[in-house]
């Protein structure tokens, strides 16, 4: 089983590095300066216990990878980039390639299933960072996080078992979940706080706003009849790396890197969509979605306003 990690940022980079470290055949797909740094110097993995550089093979596009039947393509890009990534992939990958979505949100598997029949969801609980080309950080050790996996839209099979075994052997907790999307919807509710970190900043200041966003999310899922696992998080177990704590989640990091886009339309925006479809008001998530997108477009740093300013805007 070869792993092609498509999107070697924080999540993909850490998973790919750990699989490679344990002897798996791994190829990364990265872009720009990150690709060049990995190509020239290797991928540096920073953990609470060690720092090491790994000579993981890397390509800058799917067309540069020689795919074979039975390869596992681990999708790890942000959801706003998934459709274009799958278009590139489907032009060169064999139809029996396995697609495993190690991504936030609940839209990626559906996008993949349009193009490939073998699709698996991976519920990722992995506090990691990618802020410097060629370097990824993970804030848990010796168990690096949790990667539960199941066939999409539901079920389990030998491939799901093999994926879970590979993840476990690479230092992650992993179980086969026939209802993996129930866990991914639970993670979605947790991720509604990502936009709060972007707009208000990490820490206690935005705690109440995050609670309000998650209450809206839970209400939408109930009305839509969607089951979601509760309490899907592992952040309490995170430890410092190089003497500092993780500063924020994936949305916060995207703003720090100035990528110009963020995944908020597929996190808070997923709740806004469900609210509109089922007649549930979602003003907190809509305002978070709107403000965070504006920040990405304008290249603004995390911390646009205080919690008090956000709540005042909410009332207008």
């Amino acid at each position: 089983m070869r792993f092609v990690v498509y999107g070697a940022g924080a999540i993909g980079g850490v998973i790919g590095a750990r699989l490679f470290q344990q002897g798996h055949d791994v190829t990364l797909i990265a872009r720009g300066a990150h690709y060049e740094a990995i190509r020239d110097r290797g991928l540096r993995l920073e953990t609470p216990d060690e720092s090491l550089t790994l000579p993981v093979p890397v390509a800058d596009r799917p067309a540069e990878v020689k795919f074979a039947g039975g390869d596992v393509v681990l999708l790890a890009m942000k959801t706003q980039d998934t459709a274009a990534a799958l278009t590139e992939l489907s032009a060169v990958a064999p139809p029996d390639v396995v697609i495993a979505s190690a991504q936030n949100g609940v839209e990626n598997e559906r996008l993949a299933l349009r193009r490939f029949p073998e699709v698996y969801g991976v519920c990722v609980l992995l506090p990691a960072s990618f802020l410097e080309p060629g370097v990824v950080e993970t804030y848990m050790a010796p168990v690096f996080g949790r990667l539960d996996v199941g066939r999409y839209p539901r079920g389990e099979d030998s491939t799901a078992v093999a994926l879970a075994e590979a993840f476990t052997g690479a230092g992650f907790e992993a179980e086969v979940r026939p209802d993996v999307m129930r866990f991914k919807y639970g993670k979605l509710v947790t991720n509604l706080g990502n936009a709060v970190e972007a707009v208000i900043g990490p820490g206690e200041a935005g705690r109440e706003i995050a609670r309000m966003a998650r209450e809206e999310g839970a209400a939408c899922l109930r009305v839509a009849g969607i089951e979601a696992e509760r309490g899907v998080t592992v952040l309490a177990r995170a430890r410092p790396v190089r003497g500092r704590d993780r500063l924020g989640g994936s949305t916060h990091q995207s703003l720090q890197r100035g990528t110009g886009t963020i995944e908020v339309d597929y996190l808070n925006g997923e709740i806004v969509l469900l609210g509109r479809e089922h007649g549930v008001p979602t003003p907190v998530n809509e305002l978070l979605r709107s403000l965070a997108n504006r920040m990405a477009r304008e290249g603004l740093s995390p911390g646009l306003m205080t919690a008090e300013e956000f709540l005042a805007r909410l009332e207008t």
Side-chain angles (χ1 to χ4, degrees), residues 125-127 140 145-146 173 231-238:
L125 303 175
L126 172 54
M140 292 173 60
R146 188 170 189 93
E173 296 175 350
V232 181
T233 180
V234 295
L235 293 180
R237 295 158 53 187

Side-chain angles (χ1 to χ4, degrees), residues 3-79:
F3 289 89
V4 178
V5 181
Y6 194 177
I11 300 303
V14 170
I15 297 173
R18 286 297 303 164
L19 289 167
F20 181 83
Q21 208 177 356
Q22 297 306 309
H24 288 277
D25 187 355
V26 177
T27 297
L28 306 177
I29 301 178
R31 301 286 191 183
H34 192 43
Y35 159 72
E36 293 171 357
I38 298 170
R39 179 197 62 193
D40 296 342
R41 300 187 295 276
L43 177 65
R44 193 164 92 232
L45 173 66
E46 301 278 357
T47 83
D49 296 332
E50 63 181 346
S51 173
L52 65 160
T53 300
L54 301 167
V56 191
V58 64
D60 65 348
R61 60 181 63 87
E64 297 300 316
V65 177
K66 294 182 179 179
F67 287 95
D71 282 347
V72 174
V73 178
L74 193 73
L75 300 181
M77 71 286 297
K78 299 293 189 295
T79 307

